[in-house]
Amino acid sequence: MSLLQEDAPRDAFAELVFFRTELYACLAGRRDALFELGDALLCADGPVKTLVELSLAPEHRRGHGALYGGVNRGRLDVSRLRRALAGLPLPRTAEGRLVLAVDVSNWLRPDANTSPDRLFCHTYGRGRDSAQMVPGWPYSFVAALEQGRTSWTAVLDVVRLCPWDDAIAVTAAQVRDVFQRLYVAGQWKIGDLPVLVVVDAGYDVTRLAFLLADLPVELLGRMRSDRVLYFPPLPQPAGKCGRKPKRGAEFAFEDAATQPVPSVTTVTDTTHYGKAVATAWHPLHPLLTPRSAWASYPEGELPVIEGTVIRLQVDHLRGDHSPRPIWLWWSATAATAADVDRLWQAFLRRFDLEHTFRLFKQTLGWTTPKIREPAAADRWTWIVIASHTQLRLARPLAEDLRKPWERPARQGRLTPARVRRGFRRVHAKTPQPASAPKPTVAGPGRPAGRKNKHRAHVHPVGKQGKPKPTGLITSTSG
């Protein structure tokens, strides 16, 4: 049943209570331990340093054994939780458009040799050009973006990328599933503006646009500054025989001589970056080759994926007086001046998802536990997402419990960390569906003097050629 039913209350407190009730119903095994773990995560004082210390919070009425038992052996109906997230109120632009951001955040596990399904994750070091590959679990997130400068996002889905996955194909399937759930929940109706999906330079945005061409979505992504695209071929003169050329003049991002007069140019005065000049050219398409992802393309001739190229140039950045231009590619053509301004500002809002990742890791302790099994890591990831969703719903309810050296926050401008600081007062007013713990005693454990003869298996890191498994946690359907 959709959360957008006619008799459902829409005030903030009722939304929070409704989601907490739905979250408890999504927990199929060891639900009381998992639910109280989420409450302890929300009400704990300060950042989460270790997972076991959450069992000391008053909201977690069970022992640390129940905490680890819920994470390792609990069961979570991910499909139902995904539908619940899609039915909640979502942020939109002033024109009523949904803007989704897709990005990958890595749970690094360099020393976990006995943890399966690890990949080499790209990470940045402290110095310049000090990127390195570290083993870990990459997670692909989809979140709805708000308008304006904020650190809030509405996380809708997460999928762990496995060694045998095609990252772009998995992302396309993930976006497709999210859109279908939004359509079923009534968040998007026929006649509404297309959903804008924003990605960064790590994605092949043209291939994503091709895989999602049958959906009412627009793709916007950044391209590397060394790319070369092509205009459509000029029409052949009358009477000329021979095969029509596949492409026209080239458009090199680094060569101004190949760039004709732009189709649209806009100038915007910004607060921090001076003048922002956005220029657009269309239609432009990349040159596809029958290898890599396009090697198994069924047709004899590769498709032509046309779009609009936007170059964004600002006067200055903080700490950098000569900023390089940003190149964007939009999956539609014939962009107007209003479209160009809307698109580059929407791309800047994509970085709000980085604030969410920082909150997950530094405050909520998403990557803190030393979990061995990927299924347990997926389970803990969904608990963190559900907790972040409760913070978003409690945003208009929480008080600003600021410290003496902090500035007062304006009405409605509390950050997620400051909402969490006052969530305990909101939590005391909400119903608690978890039942009281039953008295028990600790198990006997391993007999004294007997060693563990069951050694954990060491798993390799990197790409593996085995079929993709189907399961409750790793599946993208729902």
Side-chain angles (χ1 to χ4, degrees):
M1 181 183 298
S2 171
L3 296 183
L4 292 179
Q5 51 190 350
E6 294 296 328
D7 56 344
R10 306 308 293 180
D11 61 279
F13 184 77
E15 287 287 353
L16 177 60
V17 173
F18 196 36
F19 178 74
R20 285 174 59 85
T21 305
E22 186 71 10
L23 173 62
Y24 186 76
C26 294
L27 303 175
R30 307 200 182 207
R31 55 170 52 180
D32 294 335
L34 286 174
F35 189 83
E36 290 189 354
L37 173 60
D39 285 351
L41 179 63
L42 288 168
C43 300
D45 297 328
V48 177
K49 299 298 183 181
T50 60
L51 182 62
V52 68
E53 287 186 353
L54 292 177
S55 63
L56 302 179
E59 289 74 18
H60 193 277
R61 299 174 293 175
R62 290 158 172 82
H64 62 277
L67 182 148
Y68 281 108
V71 173
N72 294 322
R73 294 291 180 263
R75 286 185 292 116
L76 177 64
D77 190 348
V78 177
S79 298
R80 182 170 181 175
L81 182 54
R82 283 169 168 156
R83 293 193 297 269
L85 293 173
L88 295 175
L90 298 179
R92 299 173 183 267
T93 62
E95 56 185 356
R97 185 192 302 268
L98 281 171
V99 180
L100 304 181
V102 184
D103 202 359
V104 172
S105 185
N106 302 317
W107 185 339
L108 301 181
R109 299 303 311 279
D111 301 326
N113 296 328
T114 59
S115 295
D117 300 345
R118 291 183 303 159
L119 281 169
F120 287 106
C121 304
H122 182 272
T123 59
Y124 290 98
R126 292 184 179 272
R128 189 178 183 88
D129 298 330
S130 60
Q132 54 185 335
M133 307 300 290
V134 180
W137 292 316
Y139 282 85
S140 174
F141 289 83
V142 177
L145 301 180
E146 294 192 0
Q147 191 177 17
R149 296 168 55 192
T150 179
S151 56
W152 289 95
T153 60
V155 181
L156 298 175
D157 191 36
V158 64
V159 171
R160 176 172 49 85
L161 300 179
C162 298
W164 51 85
D165 283 335
D166 180 354
I168 299 300
V170 171
T171 302
Q174 184 182 15
V175 173
R176 183 180 298 276
D177 292 341
V178 169
F179 178 82
Q180 291 176 352
R181 289 193 293 271
L182 293 176
Y183 179 76
V184 172
Q187 301 281 11
W188 188 91
K189 301 180 292 294
I190 298 178
D192 291 350
L193 295 173
V195 178
L196 180 62
V197 181
V198 186
V199 298
D200 206 0
Y203 291 86
D204 186 352
V205 61
T206 56
R207 186 179 172 214
L208 275 178
F210 175 78
L211 295 176
L212 300 174
D214 58 325
L215 293 182
V217 299
E218 299 174 353
L219 272 297
L220 176 67
R222 180 164 62 170
M223 285 187 166
R224 300 190 320 180
S225 59
D226 59 351
R227 292 292 301 270
V228 177
L229 303 185
Y230 296 89
F231 286 99
L234 297 176
Q236 288 183 316
K240 182 178 180 181
C241 301
R243 185 178 180 180
K244 182 180 178 181
K246 297 182 180 179
R247 56 187 180 272
E250 71 173 23
F251 183 94
F253 291 176
E254 294 181 337
D255 188 2
T258 62
Q259 302 169 8
V261 178
S263 305
V264 179
T265 301
T266 64
V267 181
T268 306
D269 292 327
T270 63
T271 305
H272 299 288
Y273 313 115
K275 288 187 178 181
V277 181
T279 53
W281 295 266
H282 60 80
L284 286 163
H285 64 274
L287 176 63
L288 304 181
T289 56
R291 60 184 180 184
S292 185
W294 299 101
S296 58
Y297 187 69
E299 301 292 337
E301 188 172 346
L302 294 177
V304 176
I305 308 173
E306 294 184 340
T308 300
V309 170
I310 301 173
R311 184 187 65 187
L312 176 63
Q313 181 72 58
V314 298
D315 288 340
H316 56 81
L317 297 176
R318 296 179 180 179
D320 188 1
H321 300 284
S322 58
R324 293 178 297 179
I326 295 178
W327 294 92
L328 306 176
W329 188 88
W330 183 41
S331 59
T333 56
T336 62
D339 290 332
V340 173
D341 282 338
R342 171 178 63 87
L343 291 170
W344 72 259
Q345 294 180 32
F347 177 78
L348 295 185
R349 295 275 62 81
R350 189 211 70 82
F351 294 96
D352 296 340
L353 193 55
E354 303 294 338
H355 296 289
T356 302
F357 294 156
R358 186 179 298 110
L359 176 80
F360 281 5
K361 295 181 178 181
Q362 298 182 3
T363 303
L364 300 182
W366 169 43
T367 59
T368 296
K370 305 302 181 183
I371 296 176
R372 174 185 295 179
E373 295 298 329
D378 297 344
R379 201 171 295 115
W380 168 246
T381 301
W382 279 109
I383 294 297
V384 172
I385 292 176
S387 301
H388 178 262
T389 303
Q390 294 184 59
L391 291 179
R392 182 171 63 88
L393 296 176
R395 183 178 175 184
L397 306 173
E399 301 179 31
D400 185 14
L401 302 180
R402 67 183 183 91
K403 297 179 180 179
W405 55 85
E406 294 178 339
R407 295 181 179 180
R410 299 194 305 270
Q411 182 68 25
R413 297 294 296 177
L414 286 179
T415 62
R418 292 174 79 161
V419 171
R420 178 175 178 260
R421 194 181 299 169
F423 188 84
R424 178 168 284 170
R425 298 186 180 183
V426 179
H427 175 266
K429 302 176 183 179
T430 59
Q432 309 302 322
S435 58
K438 299 178 181 180
T440 183
V441 295
R446 187 184 301 120
R450 181 176 298 180
K451 297 182 179 180
N452 182 13
K453 298 181 180 180
H454 301 281
R455 296 296 181 91
H457 180 66
V458 176
H459 297 272
V461 183
K463 291 291 184 179
Q464 304 169 20
K466 60 180 180 179
K468 179 179 179 180
T470 58
L472 182 63
I473 299 297
T474 58
S475 174
T476 61
S477 62

